Amino acid sequence: MKNLTDEMLNKLIDNELNTTEIDELHKLIKNNDELLSRTKAHQMVDSVLKNLKIENAPENTTELIMGKITKSILYKDRKNGFFKFIIGSFVVTLFLVIGFVFSSANAGQENSGTQFDGIRNFMLEFLSNLSIPINNEILSIVTSALTVIILISGYFIVEQHKSFKQKLNRIL
Amino acid sequence: MKKLTELEIIESVKKGNHGDFALLIDIYKDRAFTLLKKMLKNEMDAEEALQDSFLKVFNSLSDFRAESKFSTWFYRVVYNTALTIISSKKRKIIMEMSSVDDHYDLGDDDKIYSETENYHEYIFKLVDKLPVRNALVIILFYIDGLSLNEISKVLGISLVNTKVLLHRSRNALRDLVFKHNYQEVLL
């Protein structure tokens, strides 16, 4: 180490010099005031930078961010809940219509003049095209299945509402 | 009340205790704000970017696998958020960040020298005059205590270039300290 380079000064600050190199550096700066001054200036920069000031974020930053997060969570939950509600309602309505058509067909009664006639006739035609044999036994099974599905759907809607309320309480 | 570690806070938030995210905000908000202000050179933009950064961190916290330090991952998000704002506003800063090898000049330091009362203040003001990426390396190294390897991951540059940025910044500051004989205070 004949010359004191910038690299050496940076290594000195970062404690990357071995003992031999440190001894050589000390010998160099001992006999040269300018090198000594440069070394001191370099150490001074490092020492000041270690005390670099952190700027404070605005006071209500945490509250603002948490407010935005809460809003985004609620929005997501509402969006998901609304979507599930629409799908659920559609499925339940579909099953109710089918159930109504089956029960009307089973009763074999003439309901001419009711507003559901059109739907019933269309569904019966559609089902007859599918060649599904309809009798009392099948009708009972379908009705039971529908009841179970409606009950399960109701249970899930209540559970979802409960978990949403819990989530809301955790956030707030 | 037991003080939670960073990883415990993250796990708690992942489990659904979203309120605990406020603890992470309190830990990082000031340091992230310092970094953003340095990059964006505007307090309003820095505030906006700070909020965006934390929202992004919250929304993608499930992706954090603790394979790297949280701080490295967090500052990467902050850095990228600031870059997005810079690119959208097409500031000249983006030009400053184009290359590590760019020559830079700290300008008229005599004015700063005449306006400062001591060497601490002088050096702090000079840091503000450094090119953005050099200043970021200084902040991440000295304020946030990140290693050069972690800084290189945050900035998306090589370890060698990160080291070059740190050394050049120190050398530039040292030359100005030397010019005004501030080191005499230590002699």
Side-chain angles (χ1 to χ4, degrees), chain A residues 24-41:
Chain A
E24 284 182 36
L25 189 141
H26 282 154
K27 276 180 199 167
L28 269 176
I29 58 176
K30 196 177 173 183
N31 301 318
N32 190 322
D33 285 346
E34 196 197 324
L35 290 184
L36 177 66
S37 295
R38 277 185 67 204
T39 309
K40 290 284 178 191

Side-chain angles (χ1 to χ4, degrees), chain A residues 121-133:
Chain A
N121 291 336
F122 172 76
M123 291 300 293
L124 283 171
E125 197 181 327
F126 175 72
L127 291 169
S128 66
N129 285 342
L130 292 175
S131 306
I132 299 172

Side-chain angles (χ1 to χ4, degrees), chain B residues 106-122:
Chain B
L106 289 179
D108 183 17
D109 80 294
D110 288 334
K111 191 172 176 247
I112 298 172
Y113 179 71
S114 63
E115 288 170 353
T116 49
E117 289 177 3
N118 55 52
Y119 67 89
H120 282 97
E121 202 184 331
Y122 176 67

Side-chain angles (χ1 to χ4, degrees), chain A residues 77-95 153 157 160:
Chain A
D77 283 348
R78 274 184 195 151
K79 206 173 156 188
N80 287 342
F82 181 71
F83 183 71
K84 281 177 188 169
F85 176 75
I86 293 292
I87 296 291
S89 304
F90 178 74
V91 170
V92 168
T93 309
L94 191 68
F95 277 120
S153 303
I157 288 169
Q160 195 192 343

Side-chain angles (χ1 to χ4, degrees), chain A residues 145-157:
Chain A
L146 276 174
T147 311
V148 171
I149 288 166
I150 291 167
L151 285 172
I152 291 172
S153 303
Y155 169 76
F156 278 118
I157 288 169

Side-chain angles (χ1 to χ4, degrees), chain A residues 1 3-10 25 28 38, chain B residues 174:
Chain A
M1 195 198 296
N3 296 314
L4 185 63
T5 60
D6 288 342
E7 194 188 344
M8 283 301 143
L9 287 176
N10 280 299
L25 189 141
L28 269 176
R38 277 185 67 204
Chain B
R174 180 214 52 220

